[in-house]
Amino acid sequence: MIESDPVVAAQEIAELMRGKKTLAITGAGISTDSGLPDYRGTGGSEIPTVDFDMFMSDEMWQRWVWQRNHETWRQFEQIKPSPGHRALVKLEDAGLVTGIATQNIDGLHVTAGSRKVWELHGSFRLARCVQCGQAISREAYGRQLDKLNPGWPQHDHDVAILATVDREAAAASTFQPAPCEQCGGIMKPDVVMFGESLPPCMNDAMNAAGQAEVGLVVGSSLLVSTGAWVTRQAWARGATLIIINRGPTALDDLADYRSDAGASEVLTELAKLLGSSQISG
């Protein structure tokens, strides 16, 4: 049975989580309450996005990626954590949630106050050099871009998480990316592009999944490989698998408990029930 009542779901999930170490695996559904669309890892469009090989091999695509990023990135600065993000902080403070493996690049778990977060697809709030690995805040890199591109317009719609493959627009772009201040290398948004290796934190998330007693999937259809791999690892090591997601997921057949109620509603009630809990070890 799939439970649709958030209060009932929270009560039943609390019984499965109480006194156990839980790894949360989150996707876009936990951020929709913050006002972010559910991009499902595609950049929000059916049009292909610029992949890593394209970005690295052609300055045209580097200009275009950074132009679209710079035109829309400040929207993320205005987005606040949802009640679901804040509830996970309370569950971490209570000693129940021992880490969060997230497919989201919005940084909202960190903003909310969660301490142990593995951002499996990188972070929109950072820029990183592909040569030396130096990372700086998107705010600091934005100041460098503003100096090179004074007065460049910023828009308040159509967030470009990954720039679409628009060859005509890319060829016409005059945007100037800034090189790495440390080594002069190519800077890219610290978001995992298609064809790019996953960040080292993927190994940390997999290790945490192997030690978890409960795997709590929130707001993910688990169609993206990263979240599915972490979830399967927890399940394979004997963790109780709980899924909270509107609509079916790719791993519903493995779930010990399933709810299609809203993520924030369920997690808020869950934090009320378990927020003062503590586990040993």
Side-chain angles (χ1 to χ4, degrees):
M1 185 183 89
I2 299 177
E3 181 55 60
S4 299
D5 185 313
V7 175
V8 174
Q11 291 170 343
E12 294 176 343
I13 291 170
E15 292 306 309
L16 296 172
M17 282 181 56
R18 187 170 280 113
K20 296 180 180 177
K21 296 180 180 179
T22 296
L23 172 69
I25 302 125
T26 68
I30 197 171
S31 294
T32 54
D33 289 342
S34 295
L36 277 174
D38 183 351
Y39 293 100
R40 297 188 185 278
T42 66
S45 171
E46 295 303 319
I47 302 172
T49 56
V50 177
D51 64 31
F52 185 66
D53 288 341
M54 294 169 67
F55 181 84
M56 290 300 299
S57 64
D58 195 328
E59 291 182 2
M60 176 187 74
W61 293 120
Q62 294 166 27
R63 291 194 299 271
W64 176 238
V65 165
W66 277 118
Q67 175 185 323
R68 293 297 297 124
N69 182 285
H70 198 58
E71 287 173 342
T72 64
W73 75 276
R74 284 197 180 277
Q75 291 179 69
F76 278 80
E77 298 297 300
Q78 303 166 11
I79 295 168
K80 305 301 180 185
S82 70
H85 292 106
R86 297 190 183 96
L88 285 178
V89 175
K90 293 179 181 178
L91 291 170
E92 182 181 19
D93 289 343
L96 292 169
V97 168
T98 56
I100 301 171
T102 186
Q103 298 171 159
N104 300 336
I105 54 81
D106 51 45
L108 291 175
H109 285 299
V110 175
T111 301
S114 290
R115 296 180 296 279
K116 189 169 288 186
V117 181
W118 299 289
E119 295 177 309
L120 306 180
H121 295 167
S123 173
F124 201 78
R125 297 172 185 262
L126 295 173
R128 186 178 299 274
C129 176
V130 298
Q131 267 91 336
C132 71
Q134 172 79 2
I136 62 173
S137 73
R138 184 59 183 78
E139 181 72 35
Y141 190 64
R143 291 193 291 269
Q144 296 178 33
L145 294 179
D146 285 338
K147 289 180 182 179
L148 292 172
N149 305 275
W152 198 275
Q154 303 238 340
H155 304 291
D156 60 0
H157 58 85
D158 186 25
V159 176
I161 290 178
L162 296 171
T164 56
V165 179
D166 187 335
R167 183 170 291 276
E168 182 177 355
S173 175
T174 59
F175 196 83
Q176 296 185 58
C180 174
E181 289 189 316
Q182 182 165 293
C183 75
I186 298 169
M187 297 291 289
K188 68 176 285 291
D190 196 27
V191 176
V192 177
M193 293 178 167
F194 294 106
E196 187 176 7
S197 298
L198 292 173
C201 71
M202 183 69 189
N203 292 329
D204 297 328
M206 291 293 280
N207 289 335
Q211 299 171 25
E213 296 172 282
V214 176
L216 177 66
V217 177
V218 181
S220 175
S221 63
L222 297 174
L223 293 172
V224 178
S225 298
T226 47
W229 288 335
V230 175
T231 302
R232 281 189 175 275
Q233 172 78 340
W235 172 80
R237 296 298 182 92
T240 298
L241 181 57
I242 300 166
I243 298 178
I244 305 167
N245 189 64
R246 293 191 186 276
T249 80
L251 298 183
D252 279 355
D253 59 326
L254 303 183
D256 295 286
Y257 188 87
R258 178 79 170 84
S259 172
D260 64 358
S264 286
E265 291 84 353
V266 175
L267 292 177
T268 298
E269 292 297 324
L270 189 60
K272 291 177 183 177
L273 294 169
L274 297 177
S276 60
S277 300
Q278 292 289 333
I279 58 176
S280 60

